[in-house]
Amino acid sequence: MRVTREQAAQNRERIVETAARVFREKGFDGIGVADLMKTAGLTHGGFYGHFASKEALLGEAAGRALDGAGDEWRARMAAHPDDPLGAVVRAYLSPAHRDNPGIGCAMSALGADIARAGPVVRDAVTERARAQFALLAQAAPGDSGEERRARAIATYAAMIGAMVLARTVSDPALSEEILAAVAQSLDGSGR
Amino acid sequence: MRVTREQAAQNRERIVETAARVFREKGFDGIGVADLMKTAGLTHGGFYGHFASKEALLGEAAGRALDGAGDEWRARMAAHPDDPLGAVVRAYLSPAHRDNPGIGCAMSALGADIARAGPVVRDAVTERARAQFALLAQAAPGDSGEERRARAIATYAAMIGAMVLARTVSDPALSEEILAAVAQSLDGSGR
DNA sequence: ATTATCTATAGATCTATAGATAATGC
DNA sequence: ATTATCTATAGATCTATAGATAATGC
């Protein structure tokens, strides 16, 4: 039954990645530890050798998901030096993102769950939020660092709210209208 | 045991109001039917005489909460004819709202839960979202109805995302910064 | 010998229902 | 007679743990 130290580390990794996806898809309470481990190809009892609790996993999974978003944003910004912020905004506010929460923004998919979690989870997420603000601020317009930072925060908030709204409404036309309206409002020329 | 028809209607009402508050505070999975009924002063088994399922209650509770927000916005807009949208935005983006999700915006507190619910719940919420867009559009600036509507949607999205972010981060100073940055970005003069 | 994983289970909780109770409303 | 509420429980699920197993790594 026992596996190599390296295999154990890979198993832990797969649990985190699986949780990062499934928590975003179903919510923190939407899947139990047993089903989560089965999805990762492991058994229920093995979980507690890797994590102190299900909530401890939430902190790692949310952190992992947000780090991934940061990497993606950085790449997109580098690929669009003419309009880095616009490139991030357009990808974020796409129907593809709306329809695939499991690989999307953890803040819009898990924000409420994280807000109700303990300090370890919230601290881990706060650290990533700071990093994302700083990253978006690099691409945001403004005459000073403070202005660019404020613009970055406001842009991120609008994206998150748009995604929550677009996923909530049941009318596809209304959902697209929400994404388009917010994308337009965040367009540099539009403000 | 049996109560008057009127008392039964009041009991149903109290279940909806209790759920509207507790679901926003703890999330849909954060409280069970038994505890919910106890909080409402009733017993577990009585629930299913009023509602077909716990999810059916979510639809009514979310609808009720959003209708309440609409009423509050309308009153605030009437009280500030000089800056109706600003008045709504300032109240929404207040620390008091952040710290009291149970009586606050259902979209920011329950958006992800609603997005995962069935069509009955999502249709009920979609209807209210339309009403809120129309209400905010009355107060939004713009040269045409389409412009005002788009501005209303973008404003609502920014408010929701700001609240999700402000409740998620564990650093109070960062949380206030988020509320302030989004409030400033939505300020008529700021855009 | 250590340890990563396994099976099995404790104990608590969940939604939903069955059937009893007792007061209303015809 | 009807019905709103009650108690009690079925059956499923949940998190977490205990103890066995078996392969690694000293």
Side-chain angles (χ1 to χ4, degrees), chain B residues 89-110:
Chain B
V89 168
R90 279 189 296 277
Y92 194 108
L93 295 176
S94 66
H97 182 199
R98 178 196 59 199
D99 298 336
N100 293 282
I103 55 173
C105 173
M107 213 64 90
S108 51
L110 291 173

Side-chain angles (χ1 to χ4, degrees), chain A residues 8-71:
Chain A
Q10 282 179 21
N11 288 347
R12 187 183 201 283
E13 193 67 9
R14 188 152 70 249
I15 298 170
V16 174
E17 293 288 345
T18 301
R21 176 170 57 81
V22 184
F23 284 165
R24 278 179 283 182
E25 287 171 357
K26 300 171 183 275
F28 179 64
D29 293 320
I31 187 165
V33 172
D35 274 0
L36 191 66
M37 289 295 277
K38 183 183 272 186
T39 303
L42 296 165
T43 55
H44 183 181
F47 178 83
Y48 294 91
H50 292 292
F51 305 96
S53 66
K54 190 189 178 192
E55 184 172 311
L57 173 62
L58 173 61
E60 293 213 29
R64 180 67 55 91
L66 292 170
D67 286 342
D71 292 344

Side-chain angles (χ1 to χ4, degrees), chain B:
Chain B
M1 300 289 175
R2 189 187 175 195
V3 300
T4 65
R5 190 168 295 194
E6 189 184 5
Q7 180 61 252
Q10 282 180 21
N11 288 346
R12 188 184 200 283
E13 191 68 9
R14 189 153 69 248
I15 298 169
V16 174
E17 293 288 345
T18 300
R21 176 170 56 81
V22 183
F23 284 165
R24 278 179 284 181
E25 286 171 358
K26 300 170 184 275
F28 179 63
D29 293 320
I31 187 165
V33 172
D35 275 358
L36 191 66
M37 288 296 276
K38 184 184 272 187
T39 303
L42 297 164
T43 56
H44 183 182
F47 179 84
Y48 293 90
H50 291 290
F51 305 97
S53 67
K54 190 189 177 192
E55 184 173 309
L57 174 62
L58 174 61
E60 293 213 29
R64 180 66 55 92
L66 292 169
D67 286 342
D71 292 345
E72 191 193 307
W73 291 0
R74 226 183 314 272
R76 220 173 280 277
M77 284 162 59
H80 297 82
D82 50 313
D83 184 14
L85 190 61
V88 169
V89 168
R90 279 189 296 277
Y92 194 108
L93 295 176
S94 66
H97 182 199
R98 178 196 59 199
D99 298 336
N100 293 282
I103 55 173
C105 173
M107 213 64 90
S108 51
L110 291 173
D113 284 337
I114 294 164
R116 285 186 289 262
V120 173
V121 172
R122 292 180 70 210
D123 287 354
V125 170
T126 301
E127 189 186 319
R128 269 69 174 210
R130 281 190 215 281
Q132 292 185 317
F133 293 162
L135 186 61
L136 290 179
Q138 289 175 21
D143 295 333
S144 67
E146 292 84 45
E147 263 189 53
R148 285 188 288 276
R149 181 176 164 86
R151 178 68 69 96
I153 292 173
T155 300
Y156 193 20
M159 293 195 298
I160 293 168
M163 193 49 60
V164 169
L165 270 174
R167 285 180 180 149
T168 296
V169 301
S170 54
D171 176 354
L174 184 61
S175 183
E176 314 260 305
E177 186 188 2
I178 292 162
L179 296 178
V182 177
Q184 185 205 9
S185 85
L186 294 178
D187 199 17
S189 60
R191 351 174 77 184

Side-chain angles (χ1 to χ4, degrees), chain A residues 19 96 106 117 130 138 159 162 172 185:
Chain A
R130 280 189 216 280
Q138 288 175 21
M159 293 194 298
S185 84

